[in-house]
Amino acid sequence: MKRILIVALAVSIVALSLWAPAWGAERQLKAVSFLPKNHQLCAMIHVWVKRVNEACKGDLKINWVGGPEVIPPFEQAGALQKNVVQVAFIPAAYYRPLLPEADAISLSKYDFAEERKTGGLWDFMVERHKTIGMMLLGTWLYDPFYLYVNRPIEHLNDLKGLKMRTAAKYDKMMKKLGIIPVTVQFGETYTALQRGLVDGFGWPTLGPRQWGWLDYCKYVIDVPFYTRQNTFIVFNLKTWNELPKAVQDKILDITIKFEPEMKAYFEKEIEKEKKEMAKVGLKRIKLSDEETRQFLKIASDAVWEDLSAKVPDVVPTLKKLMGYE
């Protein structure tokens, strides 16, 4: 009988050790980003991770293990769903096949505070992400997109026939402008520009000068588009639901306060970078008011048309929640 009790006690101890996280041990979460950790666009991710780890010390620690060298960018959403990683810093465009409507947030006319009002756009996006096993927490980047070209243009029609390095975010927009989109791996973009395989590219402000892309593209159409970034902080939903509510509340509070600060940081960086771009000879092309409106309408229509074909039922709701109706 005594031996049986000893065995039973040993089994109980093992069982308790397996359930240790529920009894207060610090839970370790792996995170991954679609860009390398040292990329300048990831600067504020470091801030968010540090704040969460400090606030949740003893309960939770986020280990940001790396970027595309750990998991290829387009595979990161799947890894998050499968709980291979528990946190990801990725753009919604990279998991568009799973949730097309998520990427539409780039058309939002509202600021973070307005989006987060009860029953607003953010609540809608959170619930939609839950349907694919993700918990949407916040946004970690602000840097509107531009089109950079290797020749001066005067009108939108001058873009027709140009070959430009594309990305999932603006592929359809380029086609509507008459541009020929060309898929080029990020690391091969400089060579593609150098060899004349592409005539330009789409990208935000931060990065192209440092990578040498402006050596071959001395012009930028000075009309920012998709200004509300789609780069999200997302958790594996099961992992999120297992966290104590007090920990969830801390993380959400940190994230809500982080977003406007993050945007202010990048706005300053963008202005500094524009001055550096001018020093290396980048010229900004101004379109007429009418062509500017036309350009932005094409960018917007490309998103709405794609969504109307894929998820027509959610389009009216999205338009209302983002300030279009």
Side-chain angles (χ1 to χ4, degrees):
M1 184 68 177
K2 185 176 180 180
R3 186 176 181 180
I4 293 173
L5 288 172
I6 292 172
V7 171
L9 179 61
V11 171
S12 298
I13 291 171
V14 171
L16 285 173
S17 68
L18 293 174
W19 284 97
W23 293 88
E26 187 174 75
R27 184 162 187 176
Q28 304 283 320
L29 304 184
K30 287 189 292 186
V32 69
S33 53
F34 88 104
L35 292 171
K37 288 180 68 173
N38 62 356
H39 197 290
Q40 67 189 121
L41 293 180
C42 294
M44 290 300 286
I45 297 179
H46 294 272
V47 174
W48 183 86
V49 170
K50 181 180 179 182
R51 289 179 183 174
V52 169
N53 285 344
E54 288 176 349
C56 300
K57 188 175 182 180
D59 294 312
L60 172 149
K61 182 178 181 181
I62 295 175
N63 296 312
W64 182 10
V65 296
E69 76 283 359
V70 176
I71 299 175
F74 284 97
E75 296 177 18
Q76 291 179 3
L80 184 75
Q81 287 181 309
K82 295 173 184 175
N83 212 22
V84 175
V85 295
Q86 291 73 50
V87 186
F89 307 102
I90 51 178
Y94 280 33
Y95 54 91
R96 187 182 288 160
L98 299 172
L99 196 68
E101 57 268 38
D103 193 38
I105 200 164
S106 292
L107 301 182
S108 174
K109 295 182 178 182
Y110 297 132
D111 60 18
F112 295 126
E114 183 70 25
E115 287 178 357
R116 285 186 177 273
K117 286 185 177 179
T118 302
L121 176 61
W122 197 256
D123 283 350
F124 175 83
M125 286 294 183
V126 168
E127 292 306 311
R128 297 304 296 171
H129 276 76
K130 288 179 180 178
T131 66
I132 60 169
M134 297 182 187
M135 175 61 192
L136 175 63
L137 289 187
T139 307
W140 55 268
L141 174 64
Y142 174 82
D143 196 0
F145 291 92
Y146 291 87
L147 293 183
Y148 298 80
V149 290
N150 63 2
R151 66 198 68 179
I153 70 161
E154 295 183 4
H155 304 286
L156 287 182
N157 282 338
D158 297 336
L159 291 171
K160 290 182 178 179
L162 293 185
K163 295 175 294 181
M164 297 188 71
R165 190 252 183 193
T166 190
K169 182 67 189 169
Y170 31 80
D171 187 79
K172 292 175 176 59
M173 170 196 171
M174 285 184 173
K175 290 178 180 178
K176 286 183 70 67
L177 286 167
I179 293 168
I180 302 169
V182 180
T183 300
V184 178
Q185 294 295 326
F186 172 81
E188 299 172 3
T189 304
Y190 180 88
T191 302
L193 290 165
Q194 184 182 48
R195 295 179 179 176
L197 300 178
V198 293
D199 303 306
F201 57 90
W203 197 266
T205 299
L206 302 176
R209 178 181 61 86
Q210 291 86 337
W211 305 324
W213 295 3
L214 300 189
D215 292 349
Y216 301 97
C217 287
K218 295 294 186 183
Y219 303 89
V220 59
I221 299 173
D222 200 17
V223 182
F225 62 98
Y226 301 154
T227 55
R228 199 287 185 210
Q229 272 281 357
N230 66 341
T231 44
F232 290 146
I233 305 167
V234 281
F235 265 64
N236 171 274
L237 183 59
K238 182 175 181 293
T239 297
W240 176 261
N241 288 338
E242 290 172 349
L243 297 177
K245 187 177 184 304
V247 175
Q248 292 178 347
D249 289 344
K250 284 181 183 178
I251 297 172
L252 287 171
D253 183 61
I254 288 168
T255 305
I256 290 169
K257 293 175 180 176
F258 163 84
E259 287 179 329
E261 181 183 340
M262 172 275 298
K263 183 180 179 182
Y265 166 83
F266 279 112
E267 285 176 331
K268 290 180 181 178
E269 292 300 304
I270 289 167
E271 289 308 307
K272 288 193 291 186
E273 180 59 21
K274 285 181 177 179
K275 293 177 181 178
E276 295 302 315
M277 286 176 155
K279 290 179 183 178
V280 299
L282 183 72
K283 297 179 175 58
R284 297 189 171 273
I285 298 170
K286 300 289 186 181
L287 298 176
S288 67
D289 291 346
E290 177 56 34
E291 287 205 319
T292 295
R293 284 191 291 270
Q294 185 182 349
F295 181 94
L296 293 175
K297 185 176 186 303
I298 288 172
S300 176
D301 287 349
V303 175
W304 292 127
E305 290 170 8
D306 183 55
L307 287 176
S308 295
K310 293 176 179 175
V311 284
D313 293 346
V314 305
V315 170
T317 301
L318 276 174
K319 286 188 173 181
K320 181 178 180 180
L321 292 175
M322 293 198 294
Y324 285 80
E325 293 181 358

